[in-house]
Amino acid sequence: MKFWRTPLDIDKLKIPHGELHIIAERCKGCGFCVEYCPKDVLVLSEEFNSKGYHPPKAVKPEECVNCDLCEILCPDFAIYCLRVEEEGKEVAK
Amino acid sequence: MSKKVALNKAPVEEKQHPMEKILRMDRIPHIWCSTCGIGTTVTALAMALDQLGLDLNKVAILSGIGCTGRVAGYLKLDSFHTTHGRSIPFAFGLHIARPDMKVIVFSGDGDLISIGGNHFIHTARRNADMTVICVNNFIYAMTGGQVAPTTPTTARSATSPYGCYEHPFNLPLLAASSGAVYVARWTALHIRRLANSIKEAIAKPGFSFVEVVAPCSTLYARLNKLGTGLDLMKFYHDNSVIKHGADPKEIDIDYQSQIIVGKFVDIDKPPYIECFNAGNKRVFGDKFKPYGGGNGSN
Ligand SMILES: Cc1ncc(C[n+]2csc(CCOP(=O)(O)OP(=O)(O)O)c2C)c(N)n1
Ligand code: SF4
Ligand code: SF4
Ligand code: SF4
Ligand SMILES: [Mg+2]
């Protein structure tokens, strides 16, 4: 994440991080998640699911900031993001 | 037993899609086409219910027919899939019988505003306590893309192959002038603002209305050569203007023109059951026992 200034408590803050789950069989390849992920974590894969769609895959999973946008825009309930807790630091808001 | 949705920010231990708590999973995958926007609007409703923290045993969802009309059947609430245009009269009966329940109507533009149009205006006029969410895809989608009362002038449909020549309804204006106390419009892309409006609408006593402009890829987009639902989402991104409090008279939607979104009406007016009680009290005095609790909210 880029900050417009370096926060004074930067050492105490951590960037929120999410664990991404893709339910490939449920996906209809619409690309909403790929288009609107603010961190460009996703691309549509080359592989087909059994319905013949290309589900997304995470190319930069470590960049996911757990914003949930992919999850809430997905019209097929095929992708979701879970919060990963890290010890000791407060999550940046 | 009370049950609640808890969407978003679930901890990692929970390895299931948060929507699975509120969807009837035996019916998923749903019938909606790839890049259709209806599924996204369902998540907005679930987010609103989650944020309100309502007991889901006290929430009823009703739909008419059409692609959007499938919504009620996919949700693990008290769901009613009613006949064409009749979700509002059904909702009115349910509300009168069970004023303690939150009543939500979720249906399409063709269903709610054409055959259901009279029910819509009169239930708004009576200010019955319910929330109506209308997915406006500018077309009768399920039946093959016929012209709807919302089809913009010049837009093509299966029954207007040379472009529609009629004037469409402006839904927020129709709702506001009929008496709705809460009126908002968003697109399927404005997911968080949409969820917030649905939340406010459900909490509002009286008739509340939320229009959601959403992509129909298979019919509206295809017949008008507009690409996919993703192209329509990009169009909404580039052409929506947020204007809270805009005069509903000035927010017509023309074909592929700017879409004004926002909250347009948020006023207070006694809801139907309160008026019923006040009217009878005026005539019968203490002999009349008020129905459904003081303000109908039990
Ligand atoms: C009494 C009756 N007449 C006609 C139909 C056919 N019908 C099914 S869906 C539909 C149109 C629905 O349009 P809309 O409400 O906009 O829903 P969408 O499919 O666009 O989401 C119609 C006319 C019906 N089911 N019942
Ligand atoms: S949660 Fe946000 S950052 Fe993570 S993949 Fe989804 S859209 Fe991208
Ligand atoms: S938004 Fe959902 S259906 Fe669309 S490509 Fe992403 S995972 Fe698949
Ligand atoms: S026909 Fe249109 S509205 Fe119906 S499911 Fe397909 S894209 Fe959605
Ligand atoms: Mg429609």
Side-chain angles (χ1 to χ4, degrees):
Chain A
M1 191 181 282
K2 285 188 208 79
F3 292 103
W4 63 273
R5 61 163 177 89
T6 308
L8 296 175
D9 51 357
I10 185 82
D11 52 326
K12 288 198 217 83
L13 287 180
K14 78 176 173 64
I15 310 299
H17 183 60
E19 182 186 288
L20 207 51
H21 293 260
I22 298 165
I23 308 165
E25 275 309 303
R26 214 186 277 165
C27 165
K28 294 188 191 139
C30 69
F32 291 2
C33 56
V34 175
E35 176 71 23
Y36 293 106
C37 170
K39 303 298 288 177
D40 298 324
V41 168
L42 300 159
V43 295
L44 288 183
S45 62
E46 297 287 308
E47 288 89 63
F48 292 98
N49 65 14
S50 62
K51 286 189 281 227
Y53 294 110
H54 297 287
K57 68 173 182 213
V59 283
K60 293 189 276 177
E62 68 292 346
E63 298 258 315
C64 170
V65 289
N66 192 27
C67 72
D68 286 342
L69 212 53
C70 54
E71 172 184 313
I72 61 182
L73 282 174
C74 173
D76 285 88
F77 320 115
I79 186 167
Y80 62 103
C81 189
L82 300 175
R83 179 186 65 214
V84 181
E85 301 283 4
E86 253 178 59
E87 304 276 303
K89 278 180 163 188
E90 210 187 313
V91 173
K93 295 265 161 42
Chain B
M1 203 181 72
S2 87
K3 47 178 182 155
K4 292 187 176 174
V5 244
L7 291 170
N8 304 326
K9 301 295 159 233
V12 262
E13 301 82 64
E14 276 192 44
K15 302 264 187 239
Q16 66 163 7
H17 194 291
M19 284 293 285
E20 292 185 17
K21 298 191 187 111
I22 198 176
L23 293 171
R24 293 177 193 266
M25 288 312 293
D26 51 330
R27 313 198 65 189
I28 299 296
H30 56 59
I31 62 155
W32 299 313
C33 309
S34 172
T35 87
C36 174
I38 299 172
T40 306
T41 65
V42 175
T43 300
L45 170 63
M47 288 164 72
L49 292 174
D50 179 33
Q51 287 165 24
L52 285 165
L54 293 174
D55 175 359
L56 297 186
N57 288 320
K58 296 234 167 151
V59 181
I61 177 112
L62 303 95
S63 299
I65 51 77
C67 298
T68 314
R70 308 297 291 214
V71 167
Y74 288 131
L75 288 171
K76 226 188 283 169
L77 299 168
D78 279 353
S79 310
F80 300 93
H81 187 194
T82 71
T83 49
H84 194 1
R86 310 304 178 219
S87 52
I88 290 180
F90 199 108
F92 185 73
L94 180 63
H95 166 59
I96 299 303
R98 288 289 304 273
D100 58 316
M101 292 198 76
K102 288 285 182 193
V103 176
I104 303 167
V105 170
F106 202 120
S107 212
D109 50 325
D111 179 68
L112 283 169
I113 309 299
S114 58
I115 189 170
N118 239 30
H119 301 301
F120 180 81
I121 59 174
H122 287 286
T123 311
R125 175 183 61 76
R126 293 165 131 182
N127 199 24
D129 190 5
M130 64 176 72
T131 297
V132 176
I133 301 164
C134 178
V135 173
N136 184 3
N137 49 20
F138 305 121
I139 208 153
Y140 278 37
M142 181 173 268
T143 38
Q146 292 82 0
V147 86
T150 44
T151 308
T153 314
T154 75
R156 284 167 202 262
S157 71
T159 48
S160 62
Y162 303 109
C164 175
Y165 44 77
E166 301 178 15
H167 304 288
F169 268 133
N170 163 344
L171 301 186
L173 176 62
L174 183 67
S177 53
S178 301
V181 289
Y182 184 99
V183 180
R185 173 198 279 157
W186 297 104
T187 77
L189 185 64
H190 294 91
I191 172 101
R192 291 191 207 271
R193 293 175 194 268
L194 170 63
N196 188 53
S197 262
I198 295 176
K199 181 178 92 179
E200 289 181 357
I202 293 172
K204 183 94 192 170
F207 190 94
S208 49
F209 177 69
V210 180
E211 176 185 11
V212 196
V213 175
C216 164
S217 44
T218 301
L219 291 149
Y220 187 75
R222 184 173 55 83
L223 293 172
N224 287 288
K225 300 190 166 53
L226 298 173
T228 65
L230 178 58
D231 294 302
L232 285 182
M233 292 289 251
K234 291 179 187 166
F235 176 83
Y236 305 154
H237 179 268
D238 297 341
N239 294 280
S240 302
V241 180
I242 300 175
K243 269 193 202 166
H244 292 299
D247 181 349
K249 287 195 193 82
E250 281 157 20
I251 58 167
D252 282 335
I253 300 180
D254 296 325
Y255 179 63
Q256 289 299 92
S257 74
Q258 173 180 276
I259 302 172
I260 310 273
V261 295
K263 175 167 84 174
F264 310 123
V265 177
D266 191 352
I267 54 168
D268 294 317
K269 204 163 67 173
Y272 179 81
I273 291 182
E274 203 177 307
C275 298
F276 169 86
N277 284 332
N280 281 294
K281 183 99 184 149
R282 196 167 56 234
V283 179
F284 300 108
D286 289 342
K287 274 188 287 178
F288 175 72
K289 291 215 165 41
Y291 176 71
N295 58 6
S297 60
N298 225 10

